[in-house]
Amino acid sequence: MKVYTLGDLREQIKSFPLFELISTPTPLYSLEKLSNELGGPKILIKRDDLTGLAFGGNKSRKLEFILGDALKKGADTVLTWGALQSNWCLQTAAAARKAGLRPVLLLFKTYDVPAIYTGNVFLEYLLEARMEIRETEEKGKSVNQDKAFELLEELAARERAKGYHPYLVSVGGSACGGHLEQPLGALGYFQAMLEIYEQTAKAADLPDYIVIASGSGGTQAGLIAGVKALGLKTRVIGICVSDKKEEFFPIVKQVTMELLTTLGLDLQIDDDDIILFDDYLGAGYGQITAETAGVIRNLFKKEALVLDPVYTAKAMIGLLDLVERHYFSSKDRLLFVHTGGTPALFALQDYIMSCLPGG
Ligand SMILES: Cc1ncc(COP(=O)(O)O)c(C=O)c1O
């Protein structure tokens, strides 16, 4: 299978319009106390919660390319959907404002959290994003993409009637649909993989595994495509945060294949390139458990690292459990990507505290 150089791949990416939103590289370092305590694999962290846009997170990398596309297509309004406390929606609204576009958000009450101006919703209020809140059919699961696009089209029609030019994009900026004709969100994580390679290869510290929270699939797809293109042995592990593996696997696979096509890379994706664990879903998307609350407290006390309750806490629970189950060898290097989402902590504060001793 063909292996590409870093230079080739960087050149390839340059052909996609990008609206600059973040400052890179984000820090990558070792979690010493955690690694020592585990006495097993070395745990490194990539701080993509420090991308710098509206409290940071993985979405800002995706949005650089997505907004580049929206601007190229002459949009003046960006429409998307997500859960009520969606980190994607906040990042999209902030990025849109920075690019001079109007944000319109369709927010679903996918889990039990009050529809008040707190956490991400408070920040969206400050941004004067237009917000429309709806119930969902099934709590704790992703909203059906076709259904969400139908509703988004209704909002788009209203915007068009007012003379605006909306750009529609699906939750998480991963799957193509609406005006997103190529997996430009995943492209952001393809680029992130090149950055990880640059940060780790020189120190002969390439990770054996990368562990991430996987929700709409684009982050995982981009990293897998990057690993393949560079010909690395690194394995990318996605910890499912909303859907079961069977439902989610085809999405990650499709986005990865579409990305390789978009980049014109002559590479194959096999089923075993896509590693997913759905054992840590708990009661479903956004549901807080004693384990979630515990890992947030534990990592904050140990490493001064703030995890979010919906994504990174679950991914860390997965990483720690896999270490305990000896999934990795004690010599392995694991890279945990902190994908952000921390403003939701403040919206879910009561739930988190009620799960902790004395709460
Ligand atoms: C904080 C955070 N981490 C991880 C993810 C998952 O990323 P992806 O949707 O690319 O799978 C999301 C998606 O919403 C997120 O907001």
Side-chain angles (χ1 to χ4, degrees), residues 85-253:
Q85 278 294 333
S86 162
N87 175 57
W88 156 251
C89 286
L90 169 66
Q91 294 270 307
T92 304
R97 285 295 187 206
K98 193 162 166 146
L101 310 181
R102 298 165 57 250
V104 178
L105 308 173
L106 178 57
L107 301 172
F108 289 98
K109 291 174 79 179
T110 37
Y111 56 95
D112 186 26
V113 60
I116 51 172
Y117 292 119
T118 174
N120 285 308
V121 180
F122 168 60
L123 296 168
E124 286 152 9
Y125 162 83
L126 290 179
L127 286 165
E128 293 194 88
R130 196 181 139 204
M131 291 181 258
E132 184 105 0
I133 298 175
R134 300 284 172 100
E135 293 293 333
T136 45
E137 282 164 15
E138 216 176 336
K139 299 276 176 201
K141 284 196 73 177
S142 300
V143 179
N144 174 282
Q145 165 143 334
D146 294 338
K147 213 156 199 160
F149 264 125
E150 248 172 60
L151 291 169
L152 210 59
E153 279 296 350
E154 283 174 24
L155 297 188
R158 277 195 251 159
E159 298 300 321
R160 286 188 194 102
K162 286 187 253 167
Y164 293 115
H165 302 283
Y167 181 95
L168 276 62
V169 55
S170 67
V171 63
S174 294
C176 295
H179 295 93
L180 189 69
E181 291 155 314
Q182 293 172 314
L184 298 176
L187 181 60
Y189 266 84
F190 182 83
Q191 191 173 47
M193 189 59 227
L194 306 187
E195 188 178 306
I196 291 170
Y197 178 72
E198 280 187 309
Q199 285 177 304
T200 56
K202 268 189 235 123
D205 214 16
L206 269 168
D208 298 289
Y209 293 90
I210 296 178
V211 181
I212 47 147
S214 209
S216 65
T219 303
Q220 189 167 2
L223 292 172
I224 294 172
V227 160
K228 282 265 154 183
L230 290 164
L232 308 179
K233 291 206 178 77
T234 305
R235 312 280 285 143
V236 182
I237 298 181
I239 305 292
C240 299
V241 295
S242 40
D243 298 316
K244 297 293 283 179
K245 198 156 93 175
E246 309 79 74
E247 297 161 291
F248 190 45
F249 183 93
I251 297 171
V252 180
K253 186 164 181 186

